[in-house]
Each structure stands twice: as C-alpha cells, then as structure tokens.
Amino acid sequence: MTELVRLLTRAQKLLRAAADDAMSRHGVRVGQNLVLEVLWESDGLTPGELAARLHITTPTVVNTATRMESAGLLVRRKDPADGRLVRLHLTPKARAAQRPIEEARRRLAEHATATLTDEERRHLRSALEKIIKQMSDEDNPLDPAVPKGTSSPE
Amino acid sequence: MTELVRLLTRAQKLLRAAADDAMSRHGVRVGQNLVLEVLWESDGLTPGELAARLHITTPTVVNTATRMESAGLLVRRKDPADGRLVRLHLTPKARAAQRPIEEARRRLAEHATATLTDEERRHLRSALEKIIKQMSDEDNPLDPAVPKGTSSPE
DNA sequence: GCCGGATCGTTAGCATGCAAACGATTCGTA
DNA sequence: TACGAATCGTTTGCATGCTAACGATCCGGC
C-alpha cells in the first residue's frame, strides 16, 4: 500500500540520479535536458508554454533558462508582436548535443527496464497511467481532518 | 521505452505534490515526514544512520533536522560515549503528530492506487523492484562515449 | 602517551522544484 | 482615448536533494 509509493519514489530517484550522471557527461544537467527535449522539437517557445508542456511552474523554467543561457545553450529574444513575451531559442551548441543526449537517454531507459519482459512493461505503463489519471483528474481534498491554516503556527 | 521513464517521473511527482499538500496540513513538509517515519520507530538515531535508512546524504539529513529543530519537532543531543556523534530525539509534538500523519499517508496511497486491481498492484510492485534492483545493483558505466574525468582505468 | 588516519557532523555552494509578490505590457471597455 | 483588469516574465524566499571542503573527535601504532 504505502509500500508501493515508496518503491515508486525510490525507482524514480535512482533513475533521476543516473540520468543526471549521464547528462552531465554532455555538459547538461537533468532538468535542462527536459527543456532541450522540447525546444529541439519546438524552438522559440515562451517560458510559460514550456512550463505547461513540462508540467512545471514558470519560475522554474525561467531559472533553468537563465542557467542554460549562461551555459551558452539558448538565447532570449523579445517577441516583436507582444512585448510581454520572451522566446527561448536554442544555440548551435544545444543543437549539436541533441544526438548524443538522446542516445544516452535511450540507453539509460533500456538499461533500467532490461530485466522486464514486454508484458511487464505494458503492465507497468498501464498501472502508471492509471495512477497519473487518478492523481491529476480531480485533486480532491484528501484528509479534511485538519483544515489548512490551523496547524500550530507556534 | 523512454516513455516509461517519463510516466514514472510524472507519477512520482504527482504523488510527492499530493503528499506535501497533505503533510502541510499537519505542520510537516514532505521530506520531514520521512525523517519522522524512521524516528517514530527508532528514536535517537544519528544523522548518518538516518541518511542510510532514507537513501539520502548526510548533509540533507542535517539540513532537514535543523529545520525540524526550529519547528520544535526534534532536539539534538551529543552522544555521551562518542563526541563525534549527534543523536536526534523527537519531541512530544512530533510524537503527537504520528497518528494523523500516518493516517493521511495511508489515505493518500489508497487513493493513488484506487483504480488498480490487486493483481495490477502486484505487477507494479514487481516491476518497480526489478528496476530498483537493476539501477542499484551495479552502477555500470552507461554512455562511455564521453569519459567523465578524461581517463579511467579499464 | 602521542600522532596521523579514519570517522563523524557541519557548512557552503549549486540544481531543481514550489508559491507569492512585483513590474511591465496588452487588451477590453467606458 | 484612457484606464482598469488580465496576462506575461522575473524576483524572492523556501524545501529538498547533491558534492566538496572543513573541523572536531576517536582509535590504532609507535
């Protein structure tokens, strides 16, 4: 029960650590590689659009983009039509890293699931999708026992 | 393939967010609840012991413990026999939170896996265990294309 | 009995997430 | 046309992870 959550957390953590290790060999951290993955397909997105696709918040994208800009992976350009928007464009350096990074990611995923049969992978995918659907559908108020602001401010 | 990793990451993130939300209702953040979980069973552990059980690093435990100390959840005591050691002891406040927090955690896990059959849960558990074993057994050098530190004995 | 290596916890600096507050720009409406 | 509301990106501050460097303490040989 709770055990399943623990296993899921542990597996994800091991995968993330391995991914960060692999990505670091290519001069990119694990979070940045997710930004790259989207921009490789859709260059020139805004921070807000990127955040929506990655299921993270806009400030997180902004901060990551700033680090990537320092690393020479992307540049910011103001949208000529709408002064509020900023568009993120990849540099040649970022594009050159696409092939090896995608290869590293593929190899990692293959290694992680190497001991699973095709049927086990299908079951795993199905179960994860059910959990994701359940958790994102309605964020119903679990544990209404203690209202949010009432807990011991001291 | 890579898709499985993505699903696993997404599911874990949703679970963690829901857990943090639920725990916050009890004045505890998601990382702190893991420390509590261990100390409820084994009070007086050292930061190093705690880190080993939680599969995190000692500095992370130290920082979390400092925040929990500020929140009045635990106290540090020097080990009388070994001056290098620090032992973390829970306060009555932390002990009082055990029941409701465990209940909240149980409810969350139940909700997350509500749409899974018992068989699906067994399959999920089995697959996750295989991934964990594969990732933690030998951290073999994935992606040897770009060596990390210029050279390595092989 | 002393001293150098081993073993601790801590600190510092970074990456990745979040929420909240702020500032600039655009848009709809009066 | 001008002004208030909506929509952006950014900044700030925090929590949780990590590695590397540091300092204090202990232990085994000499």
Side-chain angles (χ1 to χ4, degrees):
Chain A
M1 204 58 92
T2 302
E3 182 66 12
L4 267 181
V5 176
R6 208 186 320 268
L7 290 175
L8 206 151
T9 300
R10 180 123 176 74
Q12 194 275 337
K13 184 174 175 180
L14 288 168
L15 280 171
R16 187 184 179 86
D20 195 35
D21 194 59
M23 295 301 151
S24 292
R25 291 190 175 84
H26 301 279
V28 168
R29 299 301 298 268
V30 64
Q32 306 176 7
N33 118 79
L34 301 176
V35 170
L36 287 178
E37 195 180 351
V38 175
L39 291 185
W40 281 329
E41 286 302 315
S42 312
D43 194 74
L45 291 181
T46 67
E49 292 167 345
L50 212 38
R53 297 203 191 189
L54 294 173
H55 299 293
I56 59 182
T57 63
T58 303
T60 296
V61 170
V62 167
N63 289 333
T64 298
T66 300
R67 282 189 291 268
M68 293 175 74
E69 199 170 22
S70 300
L73 292 170
L74 58 78
V75 293
R76 283 177 158 89
R77 292 192 205 140
K78 295 200 66 168
D79 188 298
D82 189 335
R84 295 170 301 181
L85 302 182
V86 165
R87 304 213 163 266
L88 306 175
H89 294 273
L90 293 182
T91 63
K93 177 178 178 182
R95 252 178 265 283
Q98 179 170 4
R99 219 43 98 80
I101 287 182
E102 285 179 346
E103 178 61 17
R105 166 195 287 280
R106 190 195 59 74
R107 223 174 322 192
L108 173 62
E110 206 165 284
H111 173 71
T113 59
T115 62
L116 301 182
T117 66
D118 280 351
E119 191 189 10
E120 286 176 320
R121 296 181 198 191
R122 280 196 300 275
H123 284 157
L124 175 57
R125 168 197 292 254
S126 163
L128 291 175
E129 282 172 345
K130 284 191 177 182
I131 291 176
I132 291 171
K133 185 173 192 317
Q134 177 76 355
M135 297 302 293
S136 51
D137 257 13
E138 12 83 38
D139 50 327
N140 63 354
L142 282 168
D143 190 15
V146 184
K148 199 157 192 178
T150 317
S151 51
S152 56
E154 213 77 7
Chain B
M1 201 59 90
T2 303
E3 183 66 12
L4 267 181
V5 176
R6 208 187 319 269
L7 289 175
L8 206 151
T9 300
R10 180 124 177 73
Q12 195 275 339
K13 184 174 174 182
L14 287 168
L15 280 171
R16 186 184 179 87
D20 195 34
D21 193 59
M23 296 301 152
S24 292
R25 291 190 175 84
H26 301 279
V28 168
R29 299 300 298 269
V30 64
Q32 305 176 9
N33 118 80
L34 301 176
V35 169
L36 287 178
E37 195 180 351
V38 174
L39 291 184
W40 281 328
E41 286 301 315
S42 312
D43 194 74
L45 291 182
T46 66
E49 292 167 345
L50 212 39
R53 297 204 191 190
L54 294 174
H55 300 291
I56 59 181
T57 63
T58 304
T60 297
V61 170
V62 168
N63 289 333
T64 296
T66 299
R67 283 189 290 269
M68 293 175 74
E69 199 170 22
S70 300
L73 291 170
L74 59 79
V75 292
R76 283 177 159 89
R77 291 193 206 139
K78 295 200 67 169
D79 187 298
D82 189 335
R84 295 169 301 180
L85 302 183
V86 165
R87 305 214 163 266
L88 305 175
H89 295 272
L90 293 181
T91 64
K93 178 177 177 181
R95 252 178 266 285
Q98 180 171 3
R99 219 44 100 78
I101 287 182
E102 285 179 347
E103 178 62 17
R105 166 194 287 280
R106 191 196 57 74
R107 222 174 322 191
L108 173 62
E110 205 166 286
H111 173 72
T113 59
T115 63
L116 301 183
T117 67
D118 281 352
E119 191 190 10
E120 285 175 321
R121 295 181 198 192
R122 280 196 301 274
H123 284 157
L124 175 56
R125 168 196 292 255
S126 163
L128 290 175
E129 283 171 346
K130 284 190 177 183
I131 291 176
I132 291 171
K133 185 173 192 314
Q134 176 77 355
M135 297 303 293
S136 52
D137 257 11
E138 12 83 40
D139 51 325
N140 63 353
L142 283 167
D143 191 14
V146 185
K148 195 165 194 179
T150 321
S151 69
S152 64
E154 202 149 345

